[in-house]
Amino acid sequence: MSQTMKAAITAVGGYVPETKLTNFDLEKMVDTNDEWIKSRTGIEERRILREPGKASSDMAVKAIEEILRTKNLDPLEIDCIICATVTPDMVFPATANIIGDKIGAKNAFGFDLGAACSGFLFALNTGAAFIETGKYKKIIVVGVDKMSSIIDYTDRATCIIFGDGAGAVLLEPNFEGMGLQDAILKSDGSGSDFLHIKAGGSLKPASIETVLAKEHYAFQDGQPVFKFAVKGMADVSAELLERNNLTGDDIAWLVPHQANLRIIDATANRMGLPKEKVMINIQKFGNTTAATIPLCLWEWQTKLNKGDNLILAAFGGGFTWGAAWIKWAI
Ligand code: UT7
């Protein structure tokens, strides 16, 4: 039977910087302790991009270069680069363009997509929609964040959570029924009060005052975000299963955004999934914002089989959240 065309992930790449920032390091910087961080978040250490002059684009390039190598792909064949990030190299131009220049993707157009921790999920859906038009054959979707560039390392409410990293996928047309099957994406701008950067945008441009008031760092009111995240990620994942007549038994892996182990556990429970079917690397990398989901795919790719049903789920600043069902194509 001939299948309609779908957009499938055909390669994955990832990169995390070498420098580790452990809970014990943080104990020396703010009033916190390893036990509190581990029990409240599941995080033990995160990676930090320390080299001067290195930015999000450099991590993204490393992740994409892995795809170019494994697929023996000529960068000139890439049609489009979509970069999900909240830590672009500069306010403009788009980091996607800088990445394109660095990898030699001279025929690609590119743009950034800002949906915070749901950025990769939103970008994946956008890239898939481009593929489904039939006009584009090779799209790179990269989720990257250098969170250390916007974190106040005297603020224990945020510095214990975030880390740096990049994950990328190649999207190509698939005619065997593999790839993106369905997705639900949601936004609620009223959540912006709880997770944001106050200054540096058009609302409050940078000034001496904004710098002194530390308003260029990420602000998070953790508890309300936690409550929305638990409900949002679990609800949307359950809805996606239900409307596709799937149960936990049909799912090979849940690929959740890595914000907090307790949010991941709540989502898995709601979907009826045992822990063995949940990708978790938050203990090693913390919350890398747009990079968490592709970094999971990168780490687990050797365990995945063609046809496996994966549910990708995220919740983040905005608020933004959503879930996607993909059939693994590799
Ligand atoms: O990825 C984007 C979306 N973000 C999220 O999904 C994050 C959602 N939020 C969270 O993951 C959690 O809210 C946090 C991990 C940020 C905080 O955990 P919590 O269980 O919500 O802690 P809390 O803010 O309710 O604080 C509980 C207690 C407080 O002390 P008292 O008032 O009970 O005496 C805090 O002052 O823990 C204290 N506390 C800390 N203690 C040690 C807060 N932060 C720390 C800390 N170390 N780093």
Side-chain angles (χ1 to χ4, degrees), residues 103-298:
I103 63 168
K106 294 208 178 303
N107 296 320
F109 69 99
F111 58 93
D112 289 359
L113 187 153
C117 298
S118 310
F120 179 79
L121 203 58
F122 283 31
L124 186 75
N125 276 271
T126 308
F130 275 123
I131 293 280
E132 285 161 10
T133 64
K135 203 170 161 191
Y136 305 102
K137 307 279 180 249
K138 290 184 181 2
I139 294 187
I140 293 283
V141 176
V142 57
V144 58
D145 271 300
K146 184 184 169 185
M147 293 305 289
S148 61
S149 67
I150 55 167
I151 292 300
D152 173 4
Y153 285 95
T154 65
D155 174 15
R156 71 176 184 175
T158 51
C159 74
I160 56 146
I161 299 169
F162 293 101
D164 302 340
V169 299
L170 176 66
L171 286 178
E172 292 185 274
N174 182 287
F175 296 91
E176 299 176 324
M178 302 294 142
L180 181 67
Q181 309 290 312
D182 192 16
I184 302 172
L185 306 180
K186 306 245 184 196
S187 296
D188 178 358
S190 67
S192 63
D193 288 350
F194 307 108
L195 185 47
H196 58 239
I197 293 180
K198 289 187 173 35
S202 58
L203 178 65
K204 204 172 195 189
S207 67
I208 300 285
E209 288 73 28
T210 61
V211 171
L212 292 176
K214 298 186 166 189
E215 289 180 342
H216 296 274
Y217 291 125
F219 165 86
Q220 176 168 261
D221 186 358
Q223 264 193 14
V225 179
F226 183 87
K227 281 186 197 148
F228 276 101
V230 165
K231 189 168 170 356
M233 219 162 105
D235 278 358
V236 86
S237 304
E239 188 186 338
L240 190 67
L241 291 190
E242 231 172 82
R243 82 175 188 191
N244 288 290
N245 297 315
L246 296 168
T247 69
D249 291 342
D250 302 308
I251 305 306
W253 292 97
L254 169 64
V255 194
H257 170 53
Q258 313 279 309
N260 187 314
L261 195 52
R262 291 181 288 148
I263 301 173
I264 295 173
D265 287 347
T267 305
N269 285 340
R270 181 78 178 281
M271 294 170 67
L273 288 178
K275 219 161 186 160
E276 304 78 64
K277 287 186 171 188
V278 186
M279 296 187 191
I280 297 171
N281 58 15
I282 191 171
Q283 72 283 2
K284 295 193 295 186
F285 302 146
N287 181 348
T288 54
T289 303
T292 58
I293 289 178
L295 277 175
C296 281
L297 295 175
W298 174 59

